[in-house]
Amino acid sequence: MTTHVFDLARFGWGAALPATAYARHVLGDGRAGALFAGLAAHAIRPLEQTLTASFGLVLGNAGHRRGWPLPWQGGSRAIAQAMTRYLQALGGDIVCGWTVTSLAELPPARRVLLDVTPPVPPTRR
């Protein structure tokens, strides 16, 4: 039990850091730091912010423990296609390009998943 407390404390110390600081001090420059940065980028925050290392640590540990979910053929598009086929096999449907202004517009369903992220303004060149 005692070793678990120390392991948790060590994890917490590293997880509280910005991903850039963790990569620089623990992993150094090179491929390991780049892999860690890619994992930590799932925080969808600047990697210089505190706690972003936690995303890299959790995803890295999960990958080592359960295997890395990499599509060897077809890239990430293959993942989206497989998820779509599975949803359709369960009777689900995906509708794209339809702006929902009220839930009353939708047909009756047990579950509804909506993309509610605000639109990104176009960049000026």
Side-chain angles (χ1 to χ4, degrees), residues 34-67:
L35 173 62
F36 183 77
L39 295 171
H42 285 85
I44 312 175
R45 314 253 349 126
L47 299 182
E48 296 81 17
Q49 289 188 353
T50 57
L51 299 173
T52 52
S54 64
F55 285 80
L57 290 169
V58 168
L59 291 174
N61 283 320
H64 284 310
R65 177 116 172 114
R66 298 289 181 189

Side-chain angles (χ1 to χ4, degrees), residues 52-113:
T52 52
S54 64
F55 285 80
L57 290 169
V58 168
L59 291 174
N61 283 320
H64 284 310
R65 177 116 172 114
R66 298 289 181 189
W68 296 90
L70 299 174
W72 296 111
Q73 293 181 345
S76 57
R77 181 179 184 160
I79 295 173
Q81 290 173 333
M83 291 171 64
T84 299
R85 286 192 300 272
Y86 181 64
L87 176 68
Q88 290 170 336
L90 295 173
D93 192 21
I94 297 174
V95 178
C96 298
W98 179 17
T99 301
V100 177
T101 57
S102 169
L103 292 178
E105 299 175 34
L106 302 175
R110 288 178 41 205
R111 304 281 188 277
V112 175
L113 179 65

Side-chain angles (χ1 to χ4, degrees), residues 1-11:
M1 176 66 180
T2 306
T3 59
H4 296 304
V5 172
F6 292 120
D7 289 341
L8 186 59
R10 187 174 61 216
F11 173 82

